[in-house]
Amino acid sequence: MVSNTTITTLRESSAARWTALLLLSFAMFCSYIFMDILSPIKDLLESTRGWDSKAFGTYAGSETFLNVFIFFLIIAGIILDKIGVRFTALLSGVVMIIGASINWYAVTEGFIGSDLERWFTENLNYVPLFDELGVSPFYQGMPASAKLSSIGFMIFGCGVEMAGITVSRGIVKWFKGKEVALAMGSEMALARLGVATTMIFSPLFAKMFGVIDVSRSVAFGVILLLIALIMFIVYFFMDQKLDAQTGEAEEKDDPFRFSDLGKIFSSGVFWLVALLCVLYYSAIFPFQKYAVNMLQSNISFVAPAEDSIWASQSIAYIQYVVMLIVAGTSFMSNFTKGKLRYTLLILAVVSLIGFCYMSYMRQSAESIFSVFPLLAVGITPILGRYVDNKGKAASMLMLGSLLLIACHLTFAFLLPQFKDNNVGGIVLAFVTILVLGASFSLVPAALWPSVPKLVDSKVIGSAYALIFWIQNIGLWLFPLLIGKVLDATNTDVTEKLRAGEITPEVAAVSNDYTYALLMLVSLGVLALVMGFFLKALDKRKGYGLELPNIQK
């Protein structure tokens, strides 16, 4: 009889491990697309649906509302610890689809003039207790479509954050003791291609056939979420086979206890990691939702001639193919050697230059911001491999904070100086966006793989959930604050619009983002301070955050 110790499990197979990672990554790729599906068409929502910056900010913040105030993320962590990765993944996929479908209907032509629109117009203008606390997800005068969209986005947010902690737990399960930082970094790099995808295709679908309809963009996102659910189903069977081989039970024998949360909360280093996470992510994700409008407001774009190829829809598809070449070659260069590696790197650089040239010729803010994840795709595996083999996770988080501060300061003060310099403004925007994306790659490569070093493996799902919950507080608050700051600092634009001096289309791209960006800079400064404290505490307590992940 063959001993169990001689059995090679799926986890020991590099191909199987990375296949499982690819399934999880593609599912998150689809969810990232929907997360920002309305971000590049903020101006169209304002001109066709009557939204303003406050309505958009309220909608954007609603994604995390239930996670924060109904504590759904903590509940999701408990669910994950009790029923395991694969069942939680399926549940998250279904919840995302339900929320996304509601979001889609809210912005369709069918909703306009319906009894449901009338009901939302007349109701939810006052929410007891939440209004008194100043955290209501709705407000008096909020467009009905924005209210229903917010409800759908709340439900989607429950699903996507549940998926996030589930994927993190799944990667730990398949890669623990191996290349866990490389795996987490690669997953986030690939998933964030969803940002580039939605920046390119959301405006394309909204403007298709010469008639603006923002619901087409949302429908595109819903279809991709259906594909994400299929990826989770395939992963379900892979994970089930792994447990059958290892003898591990998907549902744990030791039940969850609330006292376990006390162990997590009592950890000072856990709080530093959580605070650093919320500060850093709050300066990135809310910015993503406004980035296109920020570029539209700071760069004088000159629309290409209507009969030019640069004005056609076909160029968007070509540009997306080039983007995939950039991402694919830069990512694969991390796993090759010799001449092939340099060939892939050269092809990646040439393709990136070509992609940027296409964006410039299209004079498109959304396609310019779509370069955000491209540099990260290439360097995140490098950073992940470095952390796996050399360590220095806390130091890398501090570097990420410094880069974030520099980028937001550039957007706030330097980019507006190029308002009348189309070429200089676009080149500066490209460089700054690429660096910002690169700084963002430091977080998944360094921070998330460090969590298993801080908490017991039995409650790691709850630990991730708590960090995500704290993070979600910032992701709820700062989109709202950005919207309010924009409204408060752009009253002249509002007055001109009311006086009929400018059109809604012009008003939508005339915002001054200086003070909103300075608010994000302050978050980066605080994140840097937290990074210093984290490194000092790790040095004193010996948590191993600066040590390699791979066990030798």
Side-chain angles (χ1 to χ4, degrees), residues 61-71 130 135-137 154 472 476:
S62 69
E63 177 200 343
T64 59
F65 183 83
L66 295 178
N67 291 323
V68 172
F69 295 105
I70 310 300
F71 303 103
F130 288 102
V135 297
S136 176
M154 288 179 199
N472 270 235
W476 160 77

Side-chain angles (χ1 to χ4, degrees), residues 243-300:
D243 283 352
Q245 290 178 335
T246 61
E248 297 174 0
E250 178 69 358
E251 185 171 352
K252 297 174 175 55
D253 294 327
D254 191 2
F256 173 85
R257 292 185 298 268
F258 278 96
S259 59
D260 294 329
L261 296 181
K263 298 176 183 177
I264 299 173
F265 278 129
S266 63
S267 170
V269 71
F270 169 83
W271 277 109
L272 280 177
V273 169
L275 290 174
L276 195 154
C277 179
V278 68
L279 291 167
Y280 195 91
Y281 273 62
S282 295
I284 294 285
F285 279 122
F287 171 73
Q288 281 182 195
K289 298 187 183 301
Y290 290 89
V292 170
N293 189 246
M294 184 275 295
L295 293 174
Q296 292 170 334
S297 299
N298 283 296
I299 298 176
S300 298

Side-chain angles (χ1 to χ4, degrees), residues 394-413:
S395 300
M396 291 176 67
L397 292 172
M398 292 165 57
L399 175 60
S401 299
L402 285 171
L403 292 175
L404 184 148
I405 293 168
C407 290
H408 283 322
L409 284 174
T410 300
F411 286 133
F413 295 110

Side-chain angles (χ1 to χ4, degrees), residues 136-202:
S136 176
F138 313 108
Y139 60 87
Q140 180 74 38
M142 185 176 181
S145 60
K147 289 179 183 177
L148 184 56
S149 289
S150 296
I151 291 174
F153 211 33
M154 288 179 199
I155 298 172
F156 167 81
C158 291
V160 73
E161 296 299 337
M162 183 191 294
I165 61 173
T166 302
V167 167
S168 296
R169 176 66 178 271
I171 293 173
V172 170
K173 179 177 182 178
W174 282 78
F175 286 86
K176 189 173 184 179
K178 303 183 186 298
E179 56 275 84
V180 63
L182 175 61
M184 284 192 171
S186 299
E187 181 270 322
M188 290 306 296
L190 295 173
R192 283 180 184 141
L193 286 178
V195 177
T197 301
T198 197
M199 293 298 162
I200 291 176
F201 285 109
S202 180

Side-chain angles (χ1 to χ4, degrees), residues 241-487:
K241 184 174 181 180
L242 174 64
D243 283 352
Q245 290 178 335
T246 61
E248 297 174 0
E250 178 69 358
E251 185 171 352
K252 297 174 175 55
D253 294 327
D254 191 2
F256 173 85
R257 292 185 298 268
F258 278 96
S259 59
D260 294 329
L261 296 181
K263 298 176 183 177
I264 299 173
F265 278 129
S266 63
S267 170
V269 71
F270 169 83
W271 277 109
L272 280 177
V273 169
L275 290 174
L276 195 154
C277 179
V278 68
L279 291 167
Y280 195 91
Y281 273 62
S282 295
I284 294 285
F285 279 122
F287 171 73
Q288 281 182 195
K289 298 187 183 301
Y290 290 89
V292 170
N293 189 246
M294 184 275 295
L295 293 174
Q296 292 170 334
S297 299
N298 283 296
I299 298 176
S300 298
F301 292 104
V302 180
E306 292 186 5
D307 58 349
S308 168
I309 185 175
W310 305 111
S312 67
Q313 293 183 346
S314 59
I315 194 65
Y317 296 102
I318 297 172
Q319 189 176 17
Y320 190 67
V321 171
V322 175
M323 186 208 78
L324 293 178
I325 294 173
V326 176
T329 52
S330 61
F331 184 77
M332 290 306 299
S333 68
N334 288 280
F335 303 93
T336 56
K337 297 180 179 180
K339 292 183 179 180
L340 178 58
R341 182 179 186 181
Y342 290 111
T343 300
L344 290 172
L345 285 173
I346 292 172
L347 182 57
V349 172
V350 171
S351 300
L352 178 60
I353 294 172
F355 182 90
C356 293
Y357 176 75
M358 290 181 181
S359 296
Y360 169 75
M361 294 302 294
R362 292 182 65 196
Q363 292 288 293
S364 164
E366 50 268 26
S367 65
I368 289 173
F369 189 71
S370 65
V371 304
F372 176 66
L374 295 189
L375 185 58
V377 171
I379 70 169
T380 300
I382 298 174
L383 298 172
R385 184 179 287 112
Y386 185 86
V387 174
D388 281 330
N389 292 280
K390 303 294 184 180
K392 305 298 181 183
S395 300
M396 291 176 67
L397 292 172
M398 292 165 57
L399 175 60
S401 299
L402 285 171
L403 292 175
L404 184 148
I405 293 168
C407 290
H408 283 322
L409 284 174
T410 300
F411 286 133
F413 295 110
L414 194 55
L415 185 61
Q417 302 305 313
F418 289 82
K419 176 74 174 180
D420 299 321
N421 185 337
N422 184 272
V423 176
I426 291 177
V427 171
L428 179 63
F430 274 133
V431 173
T432 310
I433 292 167
L434 284 169
V435 173
L436 184 64
S439 76
F440 198 21
S441 66
L442 291 165
V443 175
L447 188 148
W448 298 118
S450 300
V451 176
K453 298 179 180 180
L454 308 177
V455 299
D456 188 276
S457 60
K458 185 179 74 67
V459 293
I460 193 171
S462 297
Y464 278 123
L466 287 170
I467 292 178
F468 273 61
W469 176 69
I470 296 168
Q471 169 190 313
N472 270 235
I473 295 174
L475 299 187
W476 160 77
L477 178 62
F478 284 96
L480 288 171
L481 290 180
I482 294 174
K484 290 182 178 180
V485 169
L486 286 175
D487 280 346

